[in-house]
Amino acid sequence: MRSVVIFGVALTCLAFFASAGAAAPPDPLKVFISVDMEGVSGVVDGDQTSATGHDYERFRKLMTAEANAAVDGARDAGATHILVNDSHGSHRNLLIEELHAPAELISNNIKPTGMMAGLDASYAAAIFIGYHAKASSGEGVLAHTGNGTTIADLRINGRSVGEGGMNIHAAGAMGVPVVLASGDQAAIAEIRELVPNIEGVQVKEAFGTAAARSLRPEDAARLIREGTARAVRRRGEIKPVPASLPVRFEVSFTDPSLALMAEQIPTVERTGSHAVAFVADDYLKGYRFVRVLYKFIQ
Ligand SMILES: [Zn+2]
């Protein structure tokens, strides 16, 4: 009798675990993190962000720490899949051996969608870490757009934007909201023009383009982690921001000879001594083409 009872209990337990095992797994929550470097706390000079700079090894570690803070925050908010895209310079800065789970890393450039490589419509949210102000800003640390020497400004449908704006529209084209941006006050203010209720984490206060008052890395990481967790939880309130189509891109170069060369490409028109423009019926096609203009017209 006793053995029959034990057998019965065992069967019940088996049935319970079998049904628990058969239950549908929780939906994946996928978060994409694009990590630039000029907006990392402490960064104030190109010597820290250039692979040949003598301070670069220190600052790539700090960049990795801020990326990890966002990974930790996304995980705190329930993210099950986290994709980190190295988005600075050579796109070979982040130290993969220090990357926190469950993140995976995209590195190296050339990739056609650059800072947004790897993002698709299956992601619930995108996060921008270490972002900086646009070329025409004059107020943000190491402000530039795409290429620090050749691009004076970029306009999308008539609005001057930086990398943040370009990338917000790229995520928007895939239906993904950008829920958090970190950097200095100028970078965050620019991004808020497009996404007013974005979670902004200011890790430093820029004094013009070449100096800043920065948080200690540990304090910056804490704010990024907490902000990311909040932002991922608030993802339903923050809307994707697609550009209206067809979309017009206008690039102003720092040197008119660059506009002259760009003008030779069919579909590109010269709009001024330093500027060219083109129209795309698909935002991501236009985005990829702008990258070609600022990466390869030198
Ligand atoms: Zn950048």
Side-chain angles (χ1 to χ4, degrees):
M1 177 66 187
R2 187 155 174 253
S3 66
V4 170
V5 170
I6 290 171
F7 183 65
V9 168
L11 269 185
T12 311
C13 288
L14 269 178
F16 174 77
F17 285 116
S19 71
D27 285 342
L29 175 57
K30 297 171 73 171
V31 172
F32 175 85
I33 305 174
S34 166
V35 189
D36 205 345
M37 194 168 192
E38 289 84 353
V40 167
S41 189
V43 170
V44 290
D45 192 275
D47 194 45
Q48 299 160 335
T49 59
S50 153
T52 53
H54 85 270
D55 256 350
Y56 171 73
E57 291 302 326
R58 285 177 58 215
F59 283 88
R60 73 190 298 198
K61 272 183 97 70
L62 298 180
M63 178 191 183
T64 305
E66 290 200 3
N68 275 331
V71 169
D72 293 346
R75 199 190 50 222
D76 292 343
T80 53
H81 296 67
I82 301 174
L83 183 58
V84 175
N85 183 24
D86 193 323
S87 299
H88 172 73
S90 64
H91 295 205
R92 285 193 310 269
N93 310 281
L94 293 171
L95 299 164
I96 191 166
E97 62 274 30
E98 294 185 9
L99 195 65
H100 290 183
E104 290 180 80
L105 177 67
I106 296 180
S107 50
N108 211 1
N109 219 350
I110 296 167
K111 41 194 182 192
T113 44
M115 302 175 83
M116 301 307 277
L119 183 64
D120 63 42
S122 67
Y123 283 81
I127 306 272
F128 294 167
I129 298 297
Y131 268 47
H132 52 81
K134 64 187 176 184
S136 57
S137 152
E139 291 178 357
V141 169
L142 297 168
H144 69 277
T145 303
N147 182 318
T149 53
T150 63
I151 304 295
D153 198 12
L154 167 69
R155 289 178 174 272
I156 297 180
N157 286 339
R159 177 201 283 266
S160 169
V161 296
E163 294 166 18
M166 255 182 98
N167 294 341
I168 284 166
H169 289 321
M174 299 179 232
V176 178
V178 179
V179 298
L180 177 139
S182 74
D184 63 24
Q185 80 283 11
I188 292 170
E190 254 178 58
I191 283 171
R192 281 216 172 104
E193 284 178 23
L194 284 172
V195 189
N197 63 344
I198 197 168
E199 196 78 38
V201 176
Q202 186 185 324
V203 297
K204 59 188 171 188
E205 181 190 356
F207 300 158
T209 58
R213 169 179 175 159
S214 294
L215 297 180
R216 298 182 315 126
E218 202 180 306
D219 295 331
R222 193 185 64 252
L223 292 184
I224 289 170
R225 180 174 184 162
E226 291 169 359
T228 301
R230 245 189 335 268
V232 171
R233 291 190 182 107
R234 286 179 54 223
R235 64 190 181 278
E237 308 164 14
I238 303 171
K239 297 287 163 253
V241 186
S244 57
L245 299 174
V247 53
R248 184 171 192 271
F249 292 83
E250 184 168 18
V251 177
S252 299
F253 292 98
T254 51
D255 176 342
S257 63
L258 300 171
L260 175 68
M261 295 315 292
E263 182 193 2
Q264 308 312 313
I265 300 168
T267 75
V268 173
E269 59 162 325
R270 186 83 173 260
T271 55
S273 61
H274 289 63
V276 297
F278 68 92
V279 173
D281 53 4
D282 170 310
Y283 182 80
L284 293 171
K285 265 191 208 165
Y287 178 96
R288 292 193 288 263
F289 188 46
V290 163
R291 292 196 76 251
V292 170
L293 289 184
Y294 68 62
K295 225 171 140 42
F296 299 105
I297 305 279
Q298 316 263 341

